[in-house]
Amino acid sequence: MQVFTSITEECVNEIKRKASSNRFPRLLLFPEGTTTNGRLLISFQLGAFIPGYPIQPVVVRYPHVHFDQSWGHIPLVTLMFRMFTQFHNYMEVEYLPVVSPSEHHKESAARFAQKTGRAMARALNVVQTSHSFVDYMLLSKAADSGQENPSLFVVEMANIQQSFHLSSSDALDFLDRFLSMNPDPSGNVKIQDFLRVLRLKPCGLSEKIFEFIDVGKNRKITFREFLVASAHILKQPLFRQACEAAFIETDMDQDHYISEQELGASLTPAIGSLSTNELRGLFNLFDGDDDGRISKGDFVTCLRRNPLLIGLFSPHFMHKDLDPNAAAGFLEEIV
């Protein structure tokens, strides 16, 4: 079952209401959600396809010699000025055959969107990629942060969202975390910067966590590797249960809060003894509201934002509330 946020669900219901009634004009939607340079077609957002009504695809072309007014990644004033300096601005609109969802079997919105996209890509004679509007958001954030090559942080989010059901806000949060690791001009992060941001000390477990991300085994990680590894852990069925089990075991006096001393005692079996500064750094990372203690909400929120840190609590995964076989499999995924 697909779950939508309240805003998205409201939009889908409104699309259904208007598309199913002859009292309204035909509904016009732009499924890419942004403009591109016209050399490719990015993945469609699913709002237009979830209701399951036939789609009338329309493609638009802007024949030009000097200035392509279809590319909107420039200020509006500049766009208008460039258009006014041309004697003519042409636009071609082509209506394609109606695309309907399959009647023989229940077709998902994603498959329906892909089928429609293929028809439009053929008409435009361009390739259809797995990039999405979220990639544009990632590109913009990387550019705003001063990265030399923001395109290194484009990851074809349509594939990742389909595989891991990762939200756009989570993807942007992970990019924030990755950018704080000071990637080099080639978009790679070294292990020392990775450990610094996650407040980890160099040890065997820290190395294993980094190796889990480092698919290329070159002692550096890309944003895509970091994002996929984090999303993979988040997707594990036992992730939430493991977080709660770790909190219960770490809250040794059962007062519903974790103190700095309790956190240190809980982490020692996995990563060894911590210096005062090392422990304080990890404690501050978990103490999201800076009130000097870690509530269950703080704890789970921190692990959701930094899912790779769940490996620090691996000795607690065999808690009596977890299925031992499932817990062992979850542990193997991480460490």
Side-chain angles (χ1 to χ4, degrees):
M1 182 177 68
Q2 195 163 7
V3 179
F4 305 99
T5 65
S6 58
I7 295 177
T8 303
E9 190 170 5
E10 183 180 346
C11 292
V12 170
N13 289 336
E14 189 66 10
I15 291 172
K16 286 182 179 179
R17 186 176 73 87
K18 292 188 174 181
S20 62
S21 173
N22 292 326
R23 295 186 298 109
F24 298 101
R26 298 181 72 175
L27 202 58
L28 176 64
L29 298 170
F30 296 87
E32 285 183 296
T34 185
T35 56
T36 68
N37 59 14
R39 293 195 291 268
L40 51 82
L41 197 68
I42 66 174
S43 296
F44 291 165
Q45 299 187 70
L46 301 183
F49 305 94
I50 291 170
Y53 293 112
I55 298 289
Q56 168 69 77
V58 178
V59 296
V60 180
R61 303 180 186 86
Y62 296 91
H64 64 280
V65 176
H66 301 294
F67 176 64
D68 179 8
Q69 65 266 31
S70 69
W71 175 234
H73 194 54
I74 57 176
L76 179 60
V77 174
T78 304
L79 175 67
M80 298 297 292
F81 175 77
R82 292 293 303 275
M83 290 178 66
F84 289 149
T85 57
Q86 296 191 128
F87 286 109
H88 303 284
N89 291 287
Y90 296 97
M91 181 178 74
E92 297 176 353
V93 179
E94 179 182 357
Y95 286 77
L96 304 180
V98 172
V99 179
S100 300
S102 174
E103 297 180 359
H104 301 293
H105 62 279
K106 188 175 181 180
E107 187 169 45
S108 69
R111 289 178 62 88
F112 188 18
Q114 290 170 0
K115 182 167 66 176
T116 306
R118 284 195 296 269
M120 297 176 72
R122 282 196 301 269
L124 291 169
N125 195 29
V126 298
V127 297
Q128 186 180 18
T129 76
S130 295
H131 297 93
S132 74
F133 179 62
V134 182
D135 284 294
Y136 173 76
M137 297 168 70
L138 295 171
L139 179 75
S140 297
K141 180 177 281 289
D144 291 342
S145 72
Q147 295 300 312
E148 293 183 24
N149 190 353
S151 63
L152 293 172
F153 304 92
V154 171
V155 294
E156 294 189 294
M157 270 299 296
N159 283 339
I160 292 176
Q161 287 177 308
Q162 185 174 356
S163 299
F164 302 108
H165 308 292
L166 189 71
S167 70
S168 57
S169 59
D170 282 341
L172 291 169
D173 283 344
F174 284 129
L175 179 58
D176 275 333
R177 208 98 65 256
F178 189 81
L179 292 175
S180 69
M181 299 175 189
N182 296 327
D184 62 25
S186 60
N188 294 315
V189 163
K190 297 179 180 178
I191 186 170
Q192 57 265 32
D193 292 314
F194 171 79
L195 298 181
R196 172 181 54 80
V197 170
L198 294 187
R199 312 289 202 277
L200 295 174
K201 72 175 212 176
C203 66
L205 181 58
S206 298
E207 288 272 349
K208 286 184 178 180
I209 292 174
F210 189 81
E211 289 171 3
F212 173 73
I213 309 171
D214 181 18
V215 177
K217 305 304 177 188
N218 56 6
R219 304 292 293 173
K220 296 179 181 179
I221 58 173
T222 64
F223 173 60
R224 182 182 179 85
E225 289 174 330
F226 177 71
L227 181 66
V228 169
S230 300
H232 178 74
I233 298 301
L234 273 180
K235 186 187 177 184
Q236 296 303 308
L238 282 180
F239 178 76
R240 176 77 188 200
Q241 198 176 351
C243 292
E244 293 176 352
F247 180 82
I248 291 171
E249 291 296 315
T250 305
D251 178 22
M252 297 174 185
D253 60 7
Q254 299 182 356
D255 66 346
H256 306 294
Y257 292 96
I258 296 173
S259 67
E260 190 170 319
Q261 292 73 25
E262 287 174 326
L263 181 65
S266 178
L267 295 179
T268 297
I271 60 177
S273 60
L274 296 164
S275 69
T276 301
N277 288 337
E278 289 169 342
L279 178 56
R280 178 60 54 85
L282 274 168
F283 183 83
N284 290 340
L285 184 66
F286 278 91
D287 182 18
D289 54 9
D290 296 321
D291 63 352
R293 57 185 185 176
I294 302 171
S295 66
K296 184 177 180 180
D298 291 335
F299 190 81
V300 174
T301 298
C302 179
L303 289 177
R304 273 198 55 81
R305 287 172 54 83
N306 305 280
L308 296 161
L309 292 181
I310 192 67
L312 300 180
F313 302 92
S314 53
H316 305 304
F317 289 171
M318 297 305 175
H319 184 266
K320 62 182 180 181
D321 292 336
L322 288 176
D323 173 62
N325 294 328
F330 180 55
L331 177 59
E332 187 176 343
E333 286 283 352
I334 306 170
V335 297

